[in-house]
Amino acid sequence: MNEQRRQVLEMLAAGRITAEEADRLISALDRGQPAATATEQPKSKAKYLRVVVESSDHFGGEGPGKVNIRVPMQLLRAGVRLASLIPPQALEHANEALRKQGVPFDLTQLRPQHIEELDDQLDDLTVHVEQPDVKVQVFAE
Amino acid sequence: MIPQLAVINVHSGHRRHRFWVPLLPLWLVLLPLVVLLLPFYVVGCLVVGVRPVRTLSGIWQLLAAAKGAQVDVTRGTTATSIRIR
């Protein structure tokens, strides 16, 4: 009996995992693949949203420029919460202004209960835009 | 807790300056002003139909969440960095 198999059986004996989970783990060990376990650490949430803009353009001969902004996720959450307190008539004005700028976004649909969902989506967000003289990266970390 | 310190780094050529700006005195200076403006704020909120207490709480949360924010700008040999702690 190898060490990993013994550990699984010990966890089963200690009641830390169910028989089904033990079976799944042993099957995974047989296949030589890692398995998702009940004791697996949950994926840590991203704490910051990073925006990096690199420009190779030499404005006024000063050399290439780089802007690196780190925004705490908490700030985004607080912003969404605050936006939900704005009266609907003001949001309509903002929507109209956004539409004029070619951003068809409905701010009235923004609700505090959507924050968690937004948060989960941001964890996997990576935007990479590359043009000859500008490179933009947006990602959560 | 709202941010207590802003660290500003300026790196220009061979010169490097670092400033620690304590924000607590700024909040203490602004506090009496906030108290003075509170009645106007409440009246303004009621006029536009915004809940004053929840909005104030939202603004406080926004301030508190600013901790950890960082902006770095580099241009040629000059680099400026602002970190909120």
Side-chain angles (χ1 to χ4, degrees):
Chain A
M1 190 188 301
N2 68 26
E3 180 66 21
Q4 288 171 318
R5 195 180 289 261
R6 195 177 57 78
Q7 280 177 356
V8 171
L9 292 173
E10 277 176 5
M11 281 159 70
L12 176 65
R16 283 160 59 199
I17 56 171
T18 63
E20 284 158 6
E21 286 169 338
D23 181 46
R24 203 148 40 89
L25 284 167
I26 290 170
S27 302
L29 286 173
D30 289 342
R31 289 195 305 272
Q33 291 171 351
T37 70
T39 53
E40 194 174 292
Q41 291 294 318
K43 189 181 159 192
S44 62
K45 286 212 164 198
K47 285 179 78 179
Y48 300 101
L49 184 74
R50 178 83 68 170
V51 181
V52 182
V53 181
E54 286 177 61
S55 167
S56 56
D57 218 343
H58 289 244
F59 298 102
E62 287 181 49
K66 184 177 177 182
V67 177
N68 183 353
I69 301 172
R70 188 177 75 173
V71 184
M73 288 293 193
Q74 283 286 8
L75 193 63
L76 296 180
R77 288 188 204 113
V80 172
R81 257 184 234 123
L82 199 61
S84 68
L85 298 172
I86 298 171
Q89 61 268 31
L91 289 176
E92 283 301 332
H93 284 298
N95 282 345
E96 188 57 37
L98 284 170
R99 263 195 296 277
K100 279 181 188 167
Q101 295 295 320
V103 185
F105 191 79
D106 189 1
L107 290 169
T108 56
Q109 297 300 314
L110 213 55
R111 296 272 182 276
Q113 56 263 37
H114 295 156
I115 294 171
E116 284 304 314
E117 202 178 325
L118 177 78
D119 209 9
D120 291 340
Q121 299 300 321
L122 283 173
D123 282 355
D124 302 323
L125 175 84
T126 306
V127 178
H128 194 98
V129 180
E130 204 160 346
Q131 289 195 334
D133 52 351
V134 182
K135 199 162 88 176
V136 180
Q137 279 178 282
V138 181
F139 55 91
E141 60 181 18
Chain B
M1 197 67 179
I2 56 173
Q4 304 288 311
L5 190 72
V7 181
I8 303 168
N9 272 302
V10 182
H11 195 159
S12 178
H14 298 294
R15 289 182 182 177
R16 188 172 179 171
H17 305 282
R18 179 172 285 187
F19 306 97
W20 282 272
V21 183
L23 297 176
L24 191 65
L26 180 76
W27 305 134
L28 290 175
V29 167
L30 286 176
L31 195 63
L33 195 69
V34 171
V35 173
L36 275 175
L37 293 175
L38 208 58
F40 299 101
Y41 162 78
V42 173
V43 171
C45 281
L46 294 175
V47 168
V48 296
V50 174
R51 283 176 283 189
V53 177
R54 287 198 64 184
T55 309
L56 208 60
S57 152
I59 293 167
W60 179 265
Q61 283 173 11
L62 202 68
L63 262 179
K67 226 173 185 178
Q70 179 190 334
V71 178
D72 298 334
V73 181
T74 310
R75 161 71 64 207
T77 55
T78 309
T80 307
S81 158
I82 302 170
R83 285 161 204 230
I84 308 291
R85 290 183 182 177

